[in-house]
Amino acid sequence: MTRGNQRDNDRAKAQKKAAASKGKNTQSGSQYQKSKEDAAAIMREKQRKADEKRAAEAAGGGKK
């Protein structure tokens, strides 16, 4: 039954390695900051469009 134990140990080792590498940031500081700014700009644009839509529905009485 040696092989079964070895399989379990290898599986546990692989899971530990995958969990450790999952959280690492592979971008440099400036790249990370730029990606955060890009994502924030996209979200601001989406919010602006949603606000405009909400305002248009309120002014137009909810026409579709």
Side-chain angles (χ1 to χ4, degrees), residues 4-63:
N5 186 30
Q6 185 178 359
R7 187 179 299 123
D8 291 340
N9 291 340
D10 288 345
R11 185 176 294 126
K13 184 178 176 183
Q15 286 176 341
K16 184 177 179 182
K17 185 177 178 182
S21 67
K22 183 185 266 188
K24 291 184 181 177
N25 182 10
T26 58
Q27 296 176 331
S28 70
S30 59
Q31 289 174 330
Y32 184 67
Q33 184 65 30
K34 174 97 171 81
S35 66
K36 283 179 66 175
E37 289 172 0
D38 290 344
I42 291 169
M43 293 307 294
R44 281 192 294 270
E45 181 65 20
K46 288 174 80 173
Q47 186 63 47
R48 184 186 63 79
K49 287 181 180 179
D51 289 341
E52 287 176 357
K53 182 179 177 183
R54 206 173 296 121
E57 287 178 357
K63 293 180 186 174

